[in-house]
Amino acid sequence: MNGEHGVAPALDVPATIVELDDVYKIYGSGATEVRALDGVSLAIRAGEFVAIMGPSGSGKSTCMNIIGCLDSPSAGKYAFSGVDVGTLGRDERALVRRHFMGFVFQSYNLLPRTSALSNVELPLVYEGVRPALRHRRAVSALSAVGLADRQSATSAELSGGQQQRVAIARALVTEPPVLLADEPTGNLDTVMAREVMTQLTDIRRERDVTIIMVTHEPDIARYADRVLLFTDGKLVRDGTPSEVLA
């Protein structure tokens, strides 16, 4: 896997896009040892919408960080799109994040005095995409989240739900096969949360994107096809929302 100057490295997308095999994440040792992940194995297929749930300290955020190549396992194997991430160097893992993953966080992380369009274009600026093309792709991404008419609006002129939709558009503008969403509705009221989740489900269907979402809210997890429930670093339940959240 290699790539430079904004050119995506070649990477096929197989049926199973994320696979963890007996993964551990251990902090400390002896009496102070903490197993943030304790022998987790799971597989996520391309095109799935998966919610990761669990109480504070359950391991759900650690699992998301490993999937997003933001952290590495202490033991076990993580394969992304068939590639053993453990064999990649730091720069290669950064390329995986840049070209194959889009990130959405609880805090929108938008530039406050910059237009929605410019915020969405930003990842393409870093990739060296020429202005005309990045403009077209940013407009398309904003249209995908229902904000084609708010391109010139700054963050102060947008509701919380609209700001999160701009953040989703920014994550989509590089056209990644996987979207990682960490508590994407955590700062939103019920109405705005539904608005954002409707956009995510529409995007998943229309763009065939794999969505992996951390949430502590059962109502939000029900938008997913599948729920992974973590407790004490272990994956304790894996099934449809009706099975896991009953």
Side-chain angles (χ1 to χ4, degrees), residues 141-210:
L142 282 170
S143 297
V145 297
L147 292 175
D149 60 342
R150 303 307 309 272
Q151 295 176 29
S152 61
T154 65
S155 296
E157 297 169 320
L158 298 171
S159 69
Q162 289 172 330
Q163 290 182 62
Q164 189 61 293
R165 285 155 62 190
V166 172
I168 292 168
R170 182 183 56 197
L172 288 172
V173 77
T174 59
E175 300 176 352
V178 174
L179 192 64
L180 300 173
D182 190 359
E183 299 280 5
T185 62
N187 287 337
L188 303 177
D189 64 26
T190 301
V191 173
M192 290 183 179
R194 288 196 192 114
E195 179 182 282
V196 165
M197 293 309 301
T198 297
Q199 290 293 337
L200 281 176
T201 52
D202 288 348
I203 287 163
R204 177 278 188 100
R205 182 181 64 253
E206 294 165 5
R207 297 197 172 204
D208 197 27
V209 176
T210 305

Side-chain angles (χ1 to χ4, degrees), residues 107-146:
S107 55
Y108 322 123
N109 296 336
L110 302 179
L111 298 177
R113 292 180 292 278
T114 303
S115 71
L117 185 67
S118 294
N119 268 288
V120 175
E121 284 185 341
L122 197 58
L124 301 180
V125 173
Y126 294 146
E127 288 192 6
V129 176
R130 65 184 186 274
L133 177 56
R134 72 177 184 241
H135 177 85
R136 288 197 300 271
R137 286 173 63 176
V139 169
S140 174
L142 282 170
S143 297
V145 297

